[in-house]
Amino acid sequence: MNTLTEERTSAQGRGRFRSAARRTPGRPSIVCGAALLLALAGAAVLGPLLWPYDHVAQDRTAMLVPPGGEHWLGTSRLGEDLLAQCLQGLRKSLVIGLLVAVLSTTLSAAVGLAAGYLGRWVDRCLMWGVDMLLILPPFLVAAVLSPLLRERSWLYMVLVLALFQWMLTARVVRARTVALRQREFVTAAHHMGAPTLWIMRRHLLPHLVPLLVIDCTLHVGAAILGEAGLSYFGFGIQPPDVSLGTLVATGSGSALTYPWAFLAPVGFLVVTVSAVGLLGEGLRRALEEGRGGSNED
Amino acid sequence: MTSLSPPRAAGVRAVAAPSGPPAGAAGRLLRRLAWRLGLCLAATFTAYVLASISFDPLAELRGQQPPPPQAVIDAQAQRLGLDDPVPQRFLGWLAGVPHGDFGETVTGQEIGDELWRRCGTSVRLFLAGSLLAIVLGVAIGLWNALRDGRPSDRMSLFASLIILAVPVFVLGTVLKMLWLPLNEAAGTQLLYFSAETTPGADHTGWAAIGDRLRHLALPTLAIALPQAAFYSRYQRAAMLDVLGSDFLRAARAKGLRHRQAVLRHGVRIALIPMVTLFAFTFGLHLTGGVFTERVFGWNGMGDWLLRGIQDEDANIVASVTLFIAVLVVLAGMLADGVLALLDPRIRRAGP
């Protein structure tokens, strides 16, 4: 009996996932978003290897050169090649975005499942924490902690960003879990003596995977923007490291006079984040249609 | 449960129904108020503790050349209360708050005096921006839902994706860049790029209001656009949910025209998840206000927060956090009130 329930639920979860996946490739927003992201990621990985200029090399004979010619995107105030800088910055921003998204989605799944399934005081405590963290803007916390993080690796910043970005998803996961908990297959598994962690992992989590995938995508964009905000005010990535945020910060001082130094990193930032958004939106719609409007869960 | 969209509104809706023993409407409101005040204090405490751990206000003194005598450093540490444990410092700070005493900055100025001035600046800016954003976001979202899949819907979806991908500090600068040619074409400053009023100008009456509005326009737009894009997406999803619902079909079946049914029954229900969404994300949107103040040179709370962090000043951080927390709590109370207006179930019984 136990295995039967398991098989049914996991097959159900997989089946829905598969039906969404079947619909996925054809959607223009998913194709566009994924293609753009792949192109950007490829450029970020390969670009610095292929492009002749180094992102820290300063050419004092070519300062503030407008775009075109030798330097495709122009040069900065110190004569650094902007394309090389942007590619390097994009690399860092993408890595930060991915790491933060994976960490914060994992955290929100764990907290949401625990609060929704265990209920009672666990639920109350966790949701109280969530509500409190929702009051504290993540930017504030990360900026306040910046004097501590300044001397350390940027991985600590990833940790801080992840620790303050999971709350909304956790709330949605909790609400979903509360609804799932009352379904027969969960009750059955519980009465057959399945351990709590097993129920969470094998019976509840499969139903949440699509939601988590979508939110993970959206978290990538939010993390890239969050990092850019911190770095813009000098609380994030420290020189000589560059990220898109530090480049925007450097360029914005002269945005009205030498706009290319500002617009180049902004372009990369906006295209990256909107590609992520496009992908997330497409996935969400694919999932909705995959359900065919049924009232399931 | 209804369909997935809007992804967050689903969670938010479930939260809107408070659990616990049944009580009168007044009791419920009081309980929620107490809960929220507790959250306020906890958030401020967290910020204060994090700031105290992270900041080292004596670093600057220690780094001076020639080095100041140890007695000077000790005196400064004593003045800032750095010898006491952090919770005790927090309680000392908190004890002053009800009397309007928010402590001193690192440089020895009273925080209380400056706080009220900066409060006013921030509230003026953020209130105008948020109101505009809510009106725009709800209107665009509803319109898009009614025009589901048509070119106008796709266009605004695309536009909102782009706007949400632009950080607020970039948006402010871009707005300046876009407006600059217009200012130059007009030969005068039609709209100003920085500060709250023209420094030195002594306007009165309408001229003063006009001057303020011309300063307010661009930063308000910078605050409003991302929020409007955000709200419109969720409003669209919420309205689509309602359009496919049984009760709307029932309203049509009893003989209402489509327009009547949508306006009289649909919109009200579609607004309910938005109200809770507003309460939940209000704190996140405040960050946009911080950036905007910096970009446009407004001396508000956001600007102060950034300055406080740069000066490593825990008292300023705590004061600004308390301000943010109070705003979030007020937004939550407002949302409760509006929910009661929109949803008769909440108004009548109280769960």
Side-chain angles (χ1 to χ4, degrees):
Chain A
M1 273 303 268
N2 198 352
T3 45
L4 184 67
T5 351
E6 263 159 42
E7 268 169 24
R8 280 206 50 203
T9 43
S10 57
Q12 203 180 359
R14 226 181 285 143
R16 176 186 305 162
F17 205 42
R18 212 174 268 165
S19 81
R22 220 182 303 122
R23 248 163 268 259
T24 304
R27 300 191 72 86
S29 54
I30 294 180
V31 174
C32 287
L36 261 176
L37 272 183
L38 277 180
L40 284 168
V45 174
L46 297 176
L49 303 175
L50 301 177
W51 187 240
Y53 298 98
D54 188 68
H55 76 283
V56 283
Q58 301 177 354
D59 181 0
R60 296 299 171 108
T61 59
M63 294 187 284
L64 287 170
V65 177
E70 282 286 285
H71 304 276
W72 288 2
L73 295 180
T75 60
S76 73
R77 189 182 285 279
L78 296 174
E80 298 141 321
D81 182 73
L82 273 172
L83 181 58
Q85 284 205 313
C86 285
L87 289 175
Q88 195 68 30
L90 182 64
R91 218 182 224 198
K92 183 123 289 172
S93 290
L94 280 176
V95 170
I96 290 178
L98 278 176
L99 281 178
V100 171
V102 170
L103 280 177
S104 60
T105 311
T106 313
L107 195 59
S108 47
V111 171
L113 271 175
Y117 186 69
L118 299 176
R120 291 195 275 191
W121 63 269
V122 178
D123 185 26
R124 285 185 174 239
C125 289
L126 287 175
M127 285 305 110
W128 195 78
V130 165
D131 280 350
M132 192 196 79
L133 290 178
L134 275 173
I135 291 185
L136 279 179
F139 173 81
L140 187 149
V141 180
V144 162
L145 289 177
S146 67
L148 271 187
L149 307 181
R150 202 167 286 153
E151 258 95 77
R152 299 177 197 199
S153 152
W154 53 274
L155 285 170
Y156 284 96
M157 192 183 71
V158 167
L159 210 60
V160 171
L161 279 175
L163 275 178
F164 290 91
Q165 207 187 290
W166 52 275
M167 292 82 72
L168 277 176
T169 308
R171 271 213 169 281
V172 186
V173 169
R174 173 189 170 275
R176 247 335 115 69
T177 310
V178 167
L180 283 173
R181 191 178 53 181
Q182 283 141 13
R183 297 266 298 274
E184 288 92 341
F185 65 89
V186 180
T187 327
H190 175 68
H191 285 301
M192 279 183 283
T196 308
L197 272 178
W198 174 268
I199 294 180
M200 284 186 189
R201 213 177 67 230
R202 295 304 299 270
H203 295 270
L204 296 174
L205 196 57
H207 288 265
L208 298 168
V209 165
L211 169 83
L212 292 176
V213 168
I214 294 164
D215 273 41
C216 190
T217 318
L218 298 177
H219 280 314
V220 173
I224 292 177
L225 285 181
E227 181 279 322
L230 285 172
S231 299
Y232 181 83
F233 292 108
F235 300 138
I237 296 291
Q238 301 297 324
D241 264 0
V242 291
S243 74
L244 291 178
T246 61
L247 294 174
V248 173
T250 322
S252 68
S254 51
L256 298 182
T257 40
Y258 312 106
W260 61 87
F262 171 69
L263 288 179
V266 164
F268 272 97
L269 187 65
V270 171
V271 171
T272 309
V273 178
S274 41
V276 171
L278 207 59
L279 184 62
E281 177 72 18
L283 286 176
R284 200 168 64 77
R285 293 208 177 178
L287 180 74
E288 271 168 36
E289 283 176 21
R291 293 168 165 229
S294 72
N295 276 340
E296 208 184 359
D297 96 26
Chain B
M1 284 291 285
T2 49
S3 80
L4 184 73
S5 67
R8 288 203 170 112
V12 162
R13 204 180 298 148
V15 176
S19 53
R28 201 180 33 145
L29 270 181
L30 272 181
R31 244 187 311 132
R32 289 192 70 120
L33 184 65
W35 162 268
R36 290 215 165 99
L37 286 180
L39 288 177
C40 251
L41 280 183
T44 315
F45 178 66
T46 311
Y48 192 91
V49 170
L50 288 178
S52 305
I53 294 170
S54 166
F55 294 167
D56 180 14
L58 301 179
E60 205 195 329
L61 265 184
R62 277 201 216 99
Q64 274 176 7
Q65 282 298 337
Q70 185 61 34
V72 174
I73 297 179
D74 288 345
Q76 175 76 348
Q78 173 122 47
R79 192 177 68 75
L80 296 173
L82 295 183
D83 304 327
D84 301 330
V86 176
Q88 193 182 331
R89 265 188 270 164
F90 175 73
L91 286 179
W93 176 83
L94 191 66
V97 169
H99 318 294
D101 174 18
F102 291 84
E104 287 182 352
T105 63
V106 172
T107 49
Q109 280 147 333
E110 282 289 323
I111 288 182
D113 305 338
E114 202 168 351
L115 185 77
W116 298 115
R117 195 165 48 75
R118 284 182 180 267
C119 256
T121 305
S122 285
V123 168
R124 270 196 292 281
L125 184 62
F126 197 75
L127 207 63
S130 290
L131 278 179
L132 184 67
I134 291 167
V135 172
L136 269 181
V138 167
I140 293 173
L142 290 176
W143 178 255
N144 285 343
L146 295 174
R147 292 268 170 282
D148 182 27
R150 297 200 199 171
S152 70
D153 177 36
R154 282 163 189 273
M155 282 286 293
S156 79
L157 177 68
F158 189 67
S160 64
L161 265 177
I162 301 284
I163 290 177
L164 284 176
V166 181
V168 179
F169 48 88
V170 168
L171 188 65
T173 316
V174 169
L175 283 177
K176 286 187 195 180
M177 287 169 88
L178 293 178
W179 194 266
L180 188 66
L182 284 174
N183 261 354
E184 278 172 356
T188 58
Q189 293 275 82
L190 283 180
L191 295 176
Y192 293 97
F193 290 162
S194 71
E196 206 183 339
T197 53
T198 312
D202 192 19
H203 297 298
T204 47
W206 288 110
I209 294 177
D211 184 57
R212 273 184 182 275
L213 285 181
R214 279 156 69 194
H215 282 89
L216 192 62
L218 287 179
T220 304
L221 214 55
I223 287 185
L225 278 178
Q227 282 191 58
F230 178 84
Y231 288 135
S232 75
R233 299 281 296 281
Y234 285 97
Q235 181 65 75
R236 175 181 176 280
M239 190 65 197
L240 278 180
D241 254 12
V242 168
L243 285 179
S245 66
D246 292 335
F247 75 86
L248 209 64
R249 204 173 311 139
R252 290 274 280 143
K254 86 174 184 194
L256 287 183
R257 286 167 202 280
H258 181 63
R259 179 197 213 29
Q260 281 176 320
V262 167
L263 287 182
R264 210 179 288 168
H265 299 277
V267 170
R268 169 194 280 226
I269 301 301
L271 283 176
I272 290 176
M274 295 304 293
V275 177
T276 26
L277 182 75
F278 163 78
F280 270 104
T281 55
F282 189 77
L284 299 178
H285 291 310
L286 280 170
T287 313
V290 173
F291 296 158
T292 311
E293 280 177 15
R294 201 21 102 78
V295 172
F296 286 95
W298 283 52
N299 293 320
M301 299 297 275
D303 174 69
W304 210 23
L305 174 69
L306 296 174
R307 206 160 286 178
I309 294 170
Q310 269 147 6
D311 293 351
E312 315 221 336
D313 192 324
N315 282 349
I316 293 184
V317 170
S319 305
V320 177
T321 310
L322 185 62
F323 168 74
I324 290 176
V326 167
L327 278 190
V328 173
V329 167
L330 285 179
M333 300 305 285
L334 184 71
D336 277 354
V338 175
L339 267 187
L341 276 181
L342 287 174
D343 194 339
R345 284 169 304 181
I346 294 179
R347 189 170 55 228
R348 249 176 247 138

